[in-house]
Amino acid sequence: MSHTVVVIGGGATGTGTARDLAMRGFDVTLVERGNLTEGTTGRTHGHLHSGGRYAVSDQESAIDCMQENRILHDIAGHCIEDTGGLFVQLEGDSDAYFERKLEGCAECNIPTEVLSGEEARRQEPHLTKDVERAIRVPDGAIDPFRLCVANAADAVAHGAKIETHAEVVDLPITEGRITGVTIERQGPNHLGEGREGQRETLEADYVVSATGAWADQIAAMADIELEMAISKGAMVVTNVRQLDTVVNRCLPKGEGDTIIPHETTVLLGANDDPVDDPDDYPEEQWEVDMMIDIAAEMVPIVEEARMIRAYWGVRPLYDPNPESTDDPGDVTRNYFVLDHAERDGVEGFVSIVGGKLTTYREMAESVADHVCDEFGVDTACRTHEEPLPGSSDISNLDAEMETFGLRSPIARRSKQRLGDRAADVLDTADPNPTVCECEAVTRAEIQDAIEEVGADPNAIRLRTRASMGNCQGGFCSHRISAELYPSHDARSTRDALDQLYQERWKGQRHTLWGQHLSQAMLNHLLHATTMNHDADPALFGSEIEYEAFDAGLNHAGKAHGD
Ligand SMILES: Cc1cc2nc3c(=O)[nH]c(=O)nc-3n(C[C@H](O)[C@H](O)[C@H](O)COP(=O)(O)OP(=O)(O)OC[C@H]3O[C@@H](n4cnc5c(N)ncnc54)[C@H](O)[C@@H]3O)c2cc1C
């Protein structure tokens, strides 16, 4: 009989751990209080580090990043854009540090090439004229949403169960051993099971906490003190992609000095400021302004872009020597497997903390190795060699662009997102219009996501990128939600529209100036006035009307579809 393990946390570390343990034969359930990627994983910069950033200050992390960067290219190709990266030295930046960076990269086995200012500007014409030299490194961009979903899907393919919207509220303990988790449902899971407020205890032989910045809160449920060194960072999203290479400033201490191209956008960020509570910290306008100013020193044109949203994330850092520094930038990016039996005398429970998105797979492998040791399981890890779903063969992406009757830019974007699942998803006999123009997402992709996650519009969004572009859902959130009908009822469809629109609005509050202010006003007018989205009870006010709609009548009493 296989051993049961509950993994808490649906970020990269948790989904990676669930996949690894399921592949090694454990009976795994993953519980996540929100959607997958709800925590820090959905709020990163999406920088697939080469390790260059840490090559001087934190070499252990740098070595891990380079090693995992290579592995992820093999197993998660459809989640990665191979942009390459530059560390740019601007006029006045230290020569000595530039040389030290090169040495550090060599010490960490990170391939480098030195470019003159002119060569760097030939590669990235929008770099400032003040660029003197640059170091080319194998940085890239990685899609955290696609990565997590692929890990979760593969975990399920190996027998795991994923419970989203299931918050752990207690860790039952008997004679010094954790015996499972008590969850409180925040809503039905993606299969429509359960309801809000429902409590259940899931028994387990072992519990893994992969809850990142929330790890101390989970540990506290077992009376364990775990001091995290969490820090927040802001990121700003532009509406255009003005560069194709990851650009970092070559400075000893950098905040907000990385620019990452992502799909149709560019991400600027991030600062590094300590916070006490990962759910409650100020999101301040000066942080947004600072990210734009620092990025513009390297690539002046970013200042002219339309900023479509800003978002914040909290780093799940852990400092084994908390006295050593009070600067969050100095806290190691290493990860730690904290065995609570050894550390705190509580059996059946481990936390995995720290690390990076780039090193999630190695973190998962380490904690899965730990669980295997606990149960004397000697099955080897295979996650470094078995591709994630979608990534097994992406070599023919370009060749197949014209298939499926889609215009080629749309086909290309779809195929990049779907990898080797593209044929299955896009080859449909039904009409396949584009639902989200900004991100080139068609109905077939939306329907594929709905099949997987049901009426959860933000889960659909993070699988497809629909509503994440220029209009921020203004022109498409109602179309995305409408795709739910009639497989879901009118009430769920309407609720989905509200949830998606609110989530999109949240990130735009900090970028309301210039062109994006006009877009936001237009969105507001379309939704509030034309579509009556700010809840005038005259439209869809009562359950009776929803029922009538579902029965085929619209609110005016006419046959639906007339
Ligand atoms: C601003 C910023 C930028 C970053 N940029 C990069 C980058 O470019 N590249 C890189 O490699 N790394 C980056 N990182 C670091 C990286 O994002 C994180 O290390 C990584 O995503 C952490 O993943 P995780 O799975 O460990 O944690 P999380 O993704 O936070 O997952 C933990 C999950 O636990 C869930 N949870 C919490 N409490 C409960 C509960 N009671 N019950 C159930 N579930 C619960 C949360 O909802 C969350 O989804 C960045 C971090 C920040 C903050």
Side-chain angles (χ1 to χ4, degrees):
M1 201 182 73
S2 58
H3 305 283
T4 54
V5 181
V6 167
V7 176
I8 316 173
T13 312
T15 53
T17 304
R19 176 188 191 223
D20 193 330
L21 286 170
M23 285 169 79
R24 298 203 218 187
F26 287 87
D27 180 355
V28 180
T29 301
L30 180 145
V31 290
E32 160 58 51
R33 68 178 185 169
N35 263 321
L36 296 181
T37 75
E38 182 90 4
T40 310
T41 298
R43 299 169 160 275
T44 72
H45 221 142
H47 186 175
L48 179 66
H49 286 278
S50 59
R53 187 163 185 85
Y54 308 113
V56 176
S57 57
D58 194 354
Q59 292 201 332
E60 218 175 310
S61 303
I63 291 166
D64 284 350
C65 284
M66 190 59 239
Q67 172 196 304
E68 288 302 305
N69 178 310
R70 289 195 175 99
I71 292 174
L72 292 181
H73 272 88
D74 289 341
I75 65 148
H78 77 306
C79 304
I80 292 174
E81 189 185 348
D82 219 347
T83 61
L86 294 175
F87 278 87
V88 295
Q89 180 189 14
L90 306 192
E91 213 176 285
D93 292 351
S94 156
D95 278 337
Y97 186 72
F98 189 90
E99 299 305 330
R100 183 67 198 101
K101 180 72 92 184
L102 275 173
E103 284 165 20
C105 286
E107 286 156 10
C108 298
N109 200 18
I110 301 165
T112 55
E113 186 188 341
V114 177
L115 306 184
S116 66
E118 203 182 308
E119 287 167 330
R121 278 172 50 81
R122 211 172 300 137
Q123 177 169 338
E124 277 306 335
H126 291 306
L127 276 176
T128 169
K129 292 192 177 66
D130 292 341
V131 61
E132 294 196 329
R133 287 188 291 176
I135 304 172
R136 188 161 26 209
V137 291
D139 281 347
I142 184 159
D143 184 321
F145 307 114
R146 224 175 287 163
L147 184 72
C148 269
V149 168
N151 273 284
D154 206 42
V156 170
H158 286 89
K161 189 160 187 218
I162 307 279
E163 292 280 5
T164 52
H165 306 289
E167 179 164 4
V168 171
V169 290
D170 193 20
L171 298 177
I173 185 162
T174 305
E175 293 172 6
R177 185 173 188 93
I178 303 286
T179 57
V181 299
T182 304
I183 56 164
E184 183 171 309
R185 291 195 186 271
Q186 305 302 304
N189 68 13
H190 61 287
L191 303 171
E193 298 162 351
R195 59 183 157 70
E196 192 176 342
Q198 196 178 358
R199 281 196 175 210
E200 281 168 46
T201 295
L202 310 177
E203 287 180 8
D205 299 322
Y206 209 79
V207 172
V208 177
S209 168
T211 45
W214 292 264
D216 55 347
Q217 297 179 14
I218 299 293
M221 293 175 193
D223 289 331
I224 292 170
E225 203 173 310
L226 197 170
E227 210 167 303
M228 299 292 289
I230 62 177
S231 72
K232 70 167 172 173
M235 268 143 306
V236 186
V237 188
T238 68
N239 75 325
V240 280
R241 175 171 165 137
Q242 297 130 322
L243 71 171
D244 292 320
T245 311
V246 171
V247 174
N248 309 265
R249 183 92 174 252
C250 193
L251 284 178
K253 282 233 174 203
E255 263 198 285
D257 60 359
T258 307
I259 310 178
I260 316 234
H262 252 285
E263 307 253 345
T264 50
T265 65
V266 164
L267 308 185
L268 322 175
N271 53 324
D272 201 339
D273 285 295
V275 293
D276 295 326
D277 182 343
D279 290 313
D280 186 14
Y281 54 86
E283 297 178 347
E284 297 184 74
Q285 194 61 39
W286 65 261
E287 298 175 89
V288 174
D289 297 342
M290 182 172 127
M291 295 310 107
I292 299 169
D293 291 346
I294 295 175
E297 287 175 23
M298 298 184 286
V299 182
I301 198 174
V302 293
E303 224 166 9
E304 290 168 32
R306 184 170 126 197
M307 306 297 160
I308 54 176
R309 58 193 290 119
Y311 61 94
W312 278 255
V314 177
R315 297 177 184 82
L317 303 179
Y318 176 76
D319 191 351
N321 308 304
E323 308 306 321
S324 63
T325 178
D326 52 10
D327 181 343
D330 290 337
V331 177
T332 177
R333 267 53 179 169
N334 270 348
Y335 65 85
F336 299 86
V337 175
L338 305 178
D339 174 4
H340 295 299
E342 188 184 292
R343 183 182 182 270
D344 310 289
V346 176
E347 300 282 340
F349 180 36
V350 67
S351 296
I352 171 109
V353 291
K356 304 286 299 168
L357 177 64
T358 305
T359 55
Y360 88 93
R361 193 213 58 84
E362 185 188 341
M363 295 169 70
E365 177 177 346
S366 299
V367 76
D369 282 348
H370 172 84
V371 178
C372 284
D373 287 349
E374 284 290 311
F375 293 101
V377 172
D378 60 6
T379 315
C381 174
R382 304 197 312 275
T383 58
H384 57 294
E385 53 193 20
E386 285 204 12
L388 286 162
S391 280
S392 55
D393 183 9
I394 54 164
S395 57
N396 59 354
L397 275 187
D398 288 341
E400 288 186 18
M401 261 167 52
E402 300 302 328
T403 350
F404 314 122
L406 295 169
R407 281 177 51 231
S408 57
I410 295 172
R412 182 169 53 78
R413 298 286 310 283
S414 287
K415 292 207 68 181
Q416 271 167 348
R417 280 190 291 265
L418 294 163
D420 60 19
R421 294 185 58 241
D424 284 347
V425 176
L426 299 177
D427 199 3
T428 165
D430 295 328
N432 191 19
T434 306
V435 177
C436 161
E437 286 90 352
C438 304
E439 292 298 314
V441 186
T442 64
R443 172 180 286 164
E445 260 191 86
I446 303 274
Q447 286 297 344
D448 174 62
I450 290 172
E451 250 175 58
E452 208 181 315
V453 295
D456 185 337
N458 287 307
I460 297 167
R461 171 180 62 79
L462 63 88
R463 278 163 177 76
T464 60
R465 281 190 68 82
S467 79
M468 290 171 82
N470 254 334
C471 80
Q472 291 291 296
F475 302 158
C476 63
S477 52
H478 48 294
R479 290 194 228 142
I480 297 164
S481 318
E483 286 298 320
L484 288 167
Y485 198 82
S487 58
H488 294 79
D489 62 18
R491 159 67 79 185
S492 314
T493 305
R494 172 66 196 224
D495 287 351
L497 173 57
D498 285 344
Q499 283 170 36
L500 183 58
Y501 195 71
Q502 287 305 330
E503 198 286 335
R504 295 289 78 194
W505 169 243
K506 197 175 67 185
Q508 296 171 71
R509 289 169 306 167
H510 295 277
T511 52
L512 293 178
W513 68 84
Q515 282 182 332
H516 197 67
L517 179 58
S518 311
Q519 176 76 57
M521 274 311 295
L522 176 61
N523 290 353
H524 177 71
L525 289 174
L526 282 173
H527 282 259
T529 310
T530 312
M531 288 191 265
N532 192 31
H533 194 171
D534 58 354
D536 182 339
L539 195 64
F540 284 130
S542 70
E543 286 303 327
I544 295 169
E545 280 162 324
Y546 281 116
E547 280 165 24
F549 195 94
D550 289 333
L553 297 173
N554 67 19
H555 66 280
K558 291 193 179 153
H560 174 54
D562 278 3

